[in-house]
Amino acid sequence: MGNMKLDTKPATDYQIIELLNLLNLSFENYLVPIHFDSSQFLNMLRKDSVDKTSSRVFLSGDQPVGIALIARRGWTSRLAAMGIVKGMRGKKAGTSIMKKLISEARERNDREMVLEVIEQNEPAVRLYKNCGFETLRRLISFIHQDTKQDAVNDLQEMDLRELGRMVLQFGLPDLPWQLSGETIASMTPPAKAYKREEAYIAISNPDVEHIVIWSLLVEPSARGKGLGVDILKSIIAHHPSKVWHVPAIWPEEFGFLFEQAGFQRTELSQWQMRLSL
Ligand SMILES: CC(C)(COP(=O)(O)OP(=O)(O)OC[C@H]1O[C@@H](n2cnc3c(N)ncnc32)[C@H](O)[C@@H]1OP(=O)(O)O)[C@@H](O)C(=O)NCCC(=O)NCCS
């Protein structure tokens, strides 16, 4: 099992559909099934600020065999996705490409690189640790279904962009990328944001059966009064008979809010990691 070196090319040399197919192929046999369609892929690229110029396709000869999506905001880069096709894994190609991605980030004067990785993804966790990434916190996931909540109908709909501003002002400064104010401000209908007293929430399209919670915020002056739990219960009552998902990007220290609102913890968890450049 010798060390394998792969060439790389900017993702801008490829069509969106080629990148999408390569991404799906590179995540084959992943711990959680990942299969983007093109509208989900385009939405993710836009919402998460993925930079095609800095993203890379990996080549064996002239054959694309892997991909790294790099998102950028200010001085920070995020490894949004990295995968290698099945037959090429476990030969240190991932490690040598990661080192290259880090030196490219340094060359463009970025100050830090961040990522999230599934805790049980041993090769990936090892790879990132070997490259100097440090763990910031555990990110956990929840689900909620079936329970009836009493209706509390004082939710006021608001602009997601305005909620993004609130999260930037009052949220943790080191929130995972997908929960950050910049991401929330980039969300658009049919996703929705609501306010109830000094609490705020963002959710994916509530017209379908499965709904994702993307943001939950209580203004600092109003914390400790249960307003976060109340807005969760209200949103569930407002949209009855839905399955509610909190993806594995939620800081563990805030898990109690979901537990108190009747959510069940799910198995999937990630490490939020960071490398100072
Ligand atoms: C994660 C991935 C990119 C790593 O690339 P790779 O080229 O396979 O990784 P490497 O060969 O450089 O190995 C990285 C480390 O994991 C270890 N490793 C490799 N395969 C392993 C396995 N099956 N189980 C445990 N450890 C493993 C290696 O020994 C190495 O650690 P070491 O340098 O301390 O010995 C690749 O496996 C992949 O594409 N997986 C599917 C998609 C995915 O999980 N992406 C990451 C999402 S965050």
Side-chain angles (χ1 to χ4, degrees):
M1 192 163 88
N3 287 11
M4 190 175 53
K5 281 255 182 345
L6 299 175
D7 291 327
T8 62
K9 270 193 181 178
T12 39
D13 289 5
Y14 296 83
Q15 303 292 322
I16 287 286
I17 188 73
E18 297 175 299
L19 299 175
L20 169 59
N21 290 338
L22 185 56
L23 183 70
N24 285 331
L25 206 58
S26 300
F27 275 81
E28 221 180 334
N29 285 16
Y30 193 51
L31 289 157
V32 289
I34 286 205
H35 192 93
F36 284 109
D37 66 28
S38 61
S39 85
Q40 292 167 325
F41 185 54
L42 288 169
N43 193 45
M44 183 268 271
L45 295 179
R46 185 183 62 77
K47 184 167 83 86
D48 290 338
S49 312
V50 174
D51 177 26
K52 273 177 69 192
T53 310
S54 309
S55 299
R56 295 287 177 266
V57 166
F58 316 156
L59 297 168
S60 170
D62 50 12
Q63 187 69 19
V65 293
I67 187 166
L69 296 179
I70 304 285
R72 295 181 63 196
R73 287 172 183 155
W75 281 335
T76 305
S77 290
R78 170 180 179 242
L79 183 68
M82 164 147 142
I84 298 177
V85 298
K86 263 191 316 192
M88 300 272 173
R89 292 175 195 162
K91 299 174 183 168
K92 306 281 171 159
T95 302
S96 84
I97 283 178
M98 192 66 221
K99 289 183 177 153
K100 204 159 152 187
L101 295 171
I102 291 167
S103 72
E104 287 173 355
R106 286 199 178 109
E107 277 162 30
R108 56 177 186 253
N109 290 326
D110 287 351
R111 300 272 176 99
E112 63 169 6
M113 191 179 272
V114 297
L115 59 82
E116 309 87 40
V117 57
I118 295 176
E119 254 186 272
Q120 293 76 16
N121 190 351
E122 212 179 306
V125 172
R126 285 187 73 119
L127 189 166
Y128 302 138
K129 284 193 174 157
N130 290 345
C131 290
F133 281 84
E134 284 172 359
T135 300
L136 269 182
R137 59 165 72 84
R138 178 181 272 128
L139 306 170
I140 59 176
S141 59
F142 293 89
I143 191 165
H144 185 289
Q145 51 200 137
D146 291 340
T147 326
K148 248 198 149 355
Q149 292 284 357
D150 291 334
V152 200
N153 277 323
D154 44 4
L155 288 169
Q156 254 174 277
E157 204 179 335
M158 68 186 288
D159 190 356
L160 281 153
R161 196 174 172 204
E162 175 63 22
L163 176 49
R165 274 197 282 271
M166 306 278 304
V167 174
L168 282 173
Q169 193 177 353
F170 297 124
L172 289 179
D174 62 353
L175 276 174
W177 197 267
Q178 289 159 291
L179 297 183
S180 68
E182 294 95 331
T183 301
I184 302 305
S186 301
M187 291 174 69
T188 49
K192 284 179 189 268
Y194 295 94
K195 169 182 167 68
R196 182 182 178 278
E197 299 183 31
E198 287 85 33
Y200 305 84
I201 194 163
I203 62 173
S204 64
N205 180 12
D207 296 333
V208 296
E209 190 190 353
H210 293 268
I211 309 180
V212 177
I213 296 180
W214 285 112
S215 187
L216 180 63
L217 178 75
V218 177
E219 285 181 44
S221 59
R223 287 181 190 164
K225 296 192 247 171
L227 292 183
V229 176
D230 287 350
I231 198 171
L232 279 172
K233 289 182 172 170
S234 303
I235 197 90
I236 291 167
H238 199 70
H239 302 282
S241 311
K242 304 289 183 178
V243 184
W244 296 85
H245 299 269
V246 177
I249 52 170
W250 210 271
E252 190 171 33
E253 61 260 41
F254 297 130
F256 69 95
L257 286 166
F258 294 100
E259 267 153 27
Q260 284 175 18
F263 284 68
Q264 240 123 50
R265 174 107 184 242
T266 38
E267 220 177 293
L268 200 65
S269 58
Q270 300 201 99
W271 295 121
Q272 181 182 354
M273 300 188 102
R274 140 174 220 288
L275 173 69
S276 189
L277 294 171

